[in-house]
Amino acid sequence: MYLTHLECPRCGRAYPAAEPQNLCACGSPLLARHDLAAVAAAVTPERLALRPADLWRYRKLLPWPTPGTSPRWARAGRRCCAPRRTGPGSASPT
Ligand SMILES: [Zn+2]
């Protein structure tokens, strides 16, 4: 895992990547910061192109160490739930 920390682009405050975070204390969204030199040394563009074309192609940049530990929504190409029909003509009660 090459994610090093989360950083606020507004005030520069850093947060640990291993803990769930929301917004910065100043209200700004946080940016994920990676050790890009280490990623470049470990993964070449040619190797990335050989991986399946889904979210796990970039697993080295994700905060989860293994695919089995990811949340359901992170699995690209899969729907997590069927859309619910509403409105006139739907069989659902209103
Ligand atoms: Zn901030």
Side-chain angles (χ1 to χ4, degrees):
M1 184 166 78
Y2 298 98
L3 179 65
T4 59
H5 65 284
L6 302 174
E7 183 179 296
C8 177
R10 184 184 298 164
C11 71
R13 186 173 178 176
Y15 293 86
E19 299 173 14
Q21 306 291 338
N22 290 308
L23 298 175
C24 177
C26 76
S28 174
L30 299 171
L31 301 175
R33 297 299 188 192
H34 297 85
D35 183 351
L36 295 179
V39 173
V43 183
T44 64
E46 294 78 20
R47 286 184 62 191
L48 278 179
L50 295 174
R51 294 179 180 170
D54 60 18
L55 181 64
W56 297 115
R57 173 179 283 188
Y58 308 101
R59 65 184 174 271
K60 298 274 186 181
L61 296 171
L62 297 176
W64 303 284
T66 59
T69 63
S70 69
R72 181 182 289 177
W73 56 262
R75 297 179 193 144
R78 298 181 187 174
R79 288 177 27 194
C80 66
C81 53
R84 188 173 150 210
R85 291 181 156 222
T86 59
S90 71
S92 301
T94 56

